[in-house]
Amino acid sequence: MQEQDLQLIRNIIVRAKRWDAFFGVLGVFALMVGVLTFAALFVDMAIQGIPRLDGDFFTSFPSRRAGQAGILSAWVGTVLVMMVTAMAAVPLGIAAGVYLEEYAPKNWVTDIIEINITNLAGVPSIVYGLLALGLFVYQFGFGQSILSAGLTLALLILPVVIVATRESIRAIPQIIREGSYACGATTWQTVRDHILPYSSPGILTGVIIGMARAIGETAPIITIGALTFIAFLPPLPGAGEPPAGLFDWLFAPFTVMPIQMFNWTSRPEAAFQVNAAAAGFVLVLMTLAMNGAAIWLRYRLRKNIKW
Amino acid sequence: MSVTAPMPSLPVAAAKVSERLRKKASRHVAERVIELLLFGAALLSVFTTAAIVYVLVSESWVFFEHVPLKDFLFDTQWTPLFDDAHFGIMVLLSGTITSSAVALVVAIPLGTIIAIYLSEFAPFAVREVAKPFLELLGGVPTIIYGYFALVFLTPLLQKIYPDLPGFNLLSAGLVMGVMIIPYVASLSEDAMRAVPMSLREGSYAMGATRLQTALRVVMPAATSGIASAYILGISRAVGETMILAVAGGMQPNLTFNPAEPGATITSFIVQVALGDLPHGSIGYQTIFAAGLSLMLMTLFFNLLGYWLRKKYREVY
């Protein structure tokens, strides 16, 4: 080979390696965009909001005076809505996941169900709000209540729970099922005594991620017509005059954390922006804690389980 | 007297067996009932889709009895709540397209670079930290991103570009882009990691660098997965609501200039829902027509994604 050609090849190699090194830096830079945005968001919100976070902030109703306003009705509303969501989405999601993995025959009905779940995961959340407005609020007559909101969010996170259930069931080796069937167990006994217990940490991870998503969802709840200014709490069962029924709180008007924050954000006064920052900080901490718990759970799971 | 062995007589044993069989039969019924219940839960997804289509179409039907489809598609004004009502969806569509374009200009390049970096370049430890971090970033509620765009990014941009109005599609779009990065990056990375190692080894054996391997071997092999990641990113951008409702301003504005305020399909729905329109009024039905347009757009992208996945799928 001629000296000239060798030189040419060396140049090509040097250039390719330079690009390679450059891309290594570029990748770190691109990741940094995400990290820095998150840091800016978190720190900005913390600086603005933390001074506002005292005991009164959690125990006061919203108010026209920014300094006295609090998030009592918002966090109570969030907790109640999440209870309804969990009670609807968790059993339904797990049941659907178990059916698709352990029972479903391979036919067109199953195909349709699977395609539907994939599609539902891609439907914008505001469309769920419109569905709930037409169906729960007016057709079923639930009104603009905690029940409507909880069921809306349940439909929204159902695909998350179903997919998580299916993935963790699929990770269980076939020999477990075969052992159970060989002892004469039925499908349901196998599911109840083996499949569900072994897949429960994975399912729990999915449920937590779904709930974290539901807590922050604003658009569908605004769409069903949740009020932004609520200065009372839903009736406690048995309290008040005449005594409230056991399930009256389900039909009460409500507000939730993200809506309270949206309301404060859309006001021009700076003092309300501080309230928005404080409420936002609480909301971010809640979702981070939930997502963090899910990630930690999955990490432990991957480390501990060896079939 | 002979002592008989303590053996159960035959009729007794038969009775026990038939008892067991009866239990088994009832067990069978219970099994079927449980299976039916589980099937019902799975079928709920089909009902949900059907209900979405039913609600959107039936309410839009009433809307289109009042507003001709031609006006809906070609009118250049959107003033559904004024006395002189105009219903030109183009106006809202322009806001949706502009903000989504800004978001995708951010999310697709950065998401792809992050995916290549994590899949081909990053050491194990970096990936172990970066993946959960991206997931956390994707889990932040969008209202928080909206607040961030309005209170942090817009003032920052106004320092560079003083004419920028307080509400604008640019800062909303940029923040939306950052919000979408995790979806694009994480799905593209999954697709790239699914490419078999032997392809990379072949490329390295020919003397290619990591970047050359990533761009010329891994990415072409993972096209179908990367395409679905992009499509998901587009769907997210089109359907995103709160960032635009908070930071984009909600004035309908037929423009493709991101430095102006504008309403999108989604932020219009929020705006109407915040006011109290009577059930059954034309303004009330408008949001279902807007929702139907949104649904058709995302359906189009979902189908496109499905088609791309089929067309470019590589099987190893």
Side-chain angles (χ1 to χ4, degrees), chain B residues 131-153:
Chain B
K131 283 282 269 189
F133 174 77
L134 283 177
E135 216 171 306
L136 281 184
L137 204 59
V140 174
T142 57
I143 176 89
I144 306 277
Y145 281 115
Y147 171 86
F148 178 71
L150 180 70
V151 176
F152 189 88
L153 191 62

Side-chain angles (χ1 to χ4, degrees), chain A residues 20 24 28 38 45 95 99 103 116 120 130-131 138 184 186 188-189 218 222 261-262 277 280 284 291 298, chain B residues 27 31 34-35 38-39 45 49 51 117 121 135-137 143-144 147 210-211 242 246 273-274 279 284 288 291:
Chain A
D20 196 63
V28 175
F38 185 72
M45 211 165 250
Y99 176 80
Y103 287 87
N116 251 299
L120 282 178
L130 290 173
L131 162 71
Y138 290 114
T186 61
W188 172 244
Q189 286 171 331
T218 324
I222 289 182
M261 185 188 170
F262 176 63
V284 166
N291 278 309
R298 192 168 43 206
Chain B
R27 198 168 81 160
E31 284 286 317
I34 287 167
E35 184 176 346
L38 297 179
F39 177 66
S45 71
T49 309
Y117 177 74
F121 283 70
E135 216 171 306
L136 281 184
L137 204 59
I143 176 89
I144 306 277
Y147 171 86
R210 290 174 300 180
L211 182 62
M242 291 321 289
V246 171
L274 277 174
H279 175 52
Y284 172 84
F288 288 95

Side-chain angles (χ1 to χ4, degrees), chain B residues 11-226:
Chain B
V12 174
K16 270 191 181 161
V17 167
S18 72
E19 176 72 8
R20 283 233 296 277
L21 279 175
R22 216 183 1 262
K23 266 190 195 158
K24 204 171 171 187
S26 72
R27 198 168 81 160
H28 225 75
V29 173
E31 284 286 317
R32 293 292 300 169
V33 170
I34 287 167
E35 184 176 346
L36 272 178
L37 284 177
L38 297 179
F39 177 66
L43 213 57
L44 188 71
S45 71
V46 181
F47 287 136
T48 308
T49 309
I52 288 176
V53 172
Y54 168 75
V55 166
L56 290 181
V57 170
S58 67
E59 297 281 355
S60 302
W61 192 266
V62 184
F63 173 80
F64 284 116
E65 278 173 0
H66 291 274
V67 181
L69 187 64
K70 191 169 72 86
D71 288 3
F72 187 68
L73 292 178
F74 298 111
D75 201 329
T76 54
Q77 278 179 294
W78 178 265
T79 52
L81 307 181
F82 292 5
D83 286 338
D84 175 29
H86 285 276
F87 302 91
I89 192 74
M90 240 204 293
V91 180
L92 298 183
L93 214 54
S94 76
T96 295
I97 291 171
T98 310
S99 56
S100 302
V102 173
L104 294 175
V105 163
V106 174
I108 287 190
L110 284 178
T112 313
I113 290 171
I114 290 176
I116 295 177
Y117 177 74
L118 287 182
S119 143
E120 308 297 316
F121 283 70
F124 180 74
V126 172
R127 197 169 55 231
E128 281 299 279
V129 176
K131 283 282 269 189
F133 174 77
L134 283 177
E135 216 171 306
L136 281 184
L137 204 59
V140 174
T142 57
I143 176 89
I144 306 277
Y145 281 115
Y147 171 86
F148 178 71
L150 180 70
V151 176
F152 189 88
L153 191 62
T154 300
L156 202 68
L157 290 174
Q158 276 169 335
K159 280 187 188 138
I160 306 163
Y161 178 51
D163 292 340
L164 197 70
F167 294 107
N168 58 78
L169 295 172
L170 180 65
S171 86
L174 289 175
V175 170
M176 194 154 82
V178 174
M179 182 205 90
I180 295 170
I181 287 176
Y183 298 101
V184 176
S186 148
L187 279 180
S188 307
E189 203 248 2
D190 289 344
M192 289 184 202
R193 289 182 63 74
V195 172
M197 212 54 195
S198 55
L199 260 69
R200 287 190 190 87
E201 282 159 359
S203 170
Y204 290 141
M206 302 301 288
T209 60
R210 290 174 300 180
L211 182 62
Q212 287 169 325
T213 307
L215 294 182
R216 297 183 199 170
V217 177
V218 178
M219 276 185 76
T223 308
S224 91
I226 295 174

Side-chain angles (χ1 to χ4, degrees), chain A:
Chain A
M1 205 180 268
Q2 286 187 350
E3 185 61 27
Q4 209 181 352
D5 291 347
L6 265 180
Q7 198 56 42
L8 214 65
I9 291 170
R10 280 200 193 104
N11 281 343
I12 291 173
I13 292 173
V14 165
R15 211 175 314 134
K17 282 197 168 160
R18 208 175 287 144
W19 274 108
D20 196 63
F22 169 71
F23 194 89
V25 177
L26 191 69
V28 175
F29 172 76
L31 261 179
M32 278 303 134
V33 171
V35 174
L36 286 180
T37 308
F38 185 72
L41 181 152
F42 194 75
V43 170
D44 181 59
M45 211 165 250
I47 290 173
Q48 299 246 353
I50 285 181
R52 192 69 190 73
L53 288 177
D54 47 21
D56 286 347
F57 190 65
F58 292 95
T59 54
S60 314
F61 288 112
S63 160
R64 246 179 289 283
R65 282 180 290 276
Q68 296 170 8
I71 54 171
L72 177 62
S73 49
W75 74 255
V76 171
T78 289
V79 169
L80 294 178
V81 169
M82 285 306 119
M83 266 166 58
V84 176
T85 303
M87 278 193 235
V90 172
L92 284 173
I94 294 176
V98 166
Y99 176 80
L100 288 174
E101 284 303 315
E102 297 294 319
Y103 287 87
K106 265 212 160 309
N107 60 16
W108 60 273
V109 179
T110 310
D111 283 348
I112 286 182
I113 293 174
E114 293 200 5
I115 292 171
N116 251 299
I117 291 168
T118 318
N119 268 340
L120 282 178
V123 170
S125 62
I126 195 151
V127 172
Y128 283 95
L130 290 173
L131 162 71
L133 181 64
L135 199 68
F136 297 146
V137 176
Y138 290 114
Q139 294 262 357
F140 294 174
F142 292 163
Q144 290 146 354
S145 61
I146 290 176
L147 182 63
S148 296
L151 293 180
T152 312
L153 294 181
L155 287 183
L156 187 70
I157 67 167
L158 209 51
V160 180
V161 179
I162 294 176
V163 169
T165 304
R166 295 190 67 179
E167 271 173 12
S168 47
I169 287 181
R170 226 175 289 157
I172 298 172
Q174 196 60 29
I175 47 168
I176 302 276
R177 294 182 188 85
E178 283 160 4
S180 174
Y181 290 134
C183 293
T186 61
T187 317
W188 172 244
Q189 286 171 331
T190 307
V191 166
R192 191 190 53 199
D193 298 336
H194 300 280
I195 303 296
L196 283 181
Y198 305 153
S199 58
S200 54
I203 295 174
L204 187 63
T205 311
V207 168
I208 296 174
I209 288 176
M211 296 297 283
R213 183 162 167 220
I215 268 193
E217 274 299 340
T218 324
I221 303 199
I222 289 182
T223 310
I224 65 169
L227 301 172
T228 49
F229 190 93
I230 294 273
F232 53 85
L233 292 180
L236 269 175
E241 196 56 49
L246 198 53
F247 295 109
D248 278 9
W249 59 273
L250 278 175
F251 296 96
F254 69 102
T255 191
V256 290
M257 293 282 295
I259 291 186
Q260 186 64 67
M261 185 188 170
F262 176 63
N263 178 249
W264 281 332
T265 310
S266 54
R267 296 202 191 192
E269 301 98 320
F272 279 111
Q273 300 289 346
V274 174
N275 283 355
F281 189 67
V282 175
L283 192 61
V284 166
L285 282 187
M286 278 157 91
T287 52
L288 282 189
M290 291 174 82
N291 278 309
I295 290 168
W296 178 79
L297 204 65
R298 192 168 43 206
Y299 177 75
R300 289 259 334 237
L301 204 67
R302 222 186 302 160
K303 245 172 94 174
N304 288 349
I305 289 192
K306 300 217 168 46
W307 295 103

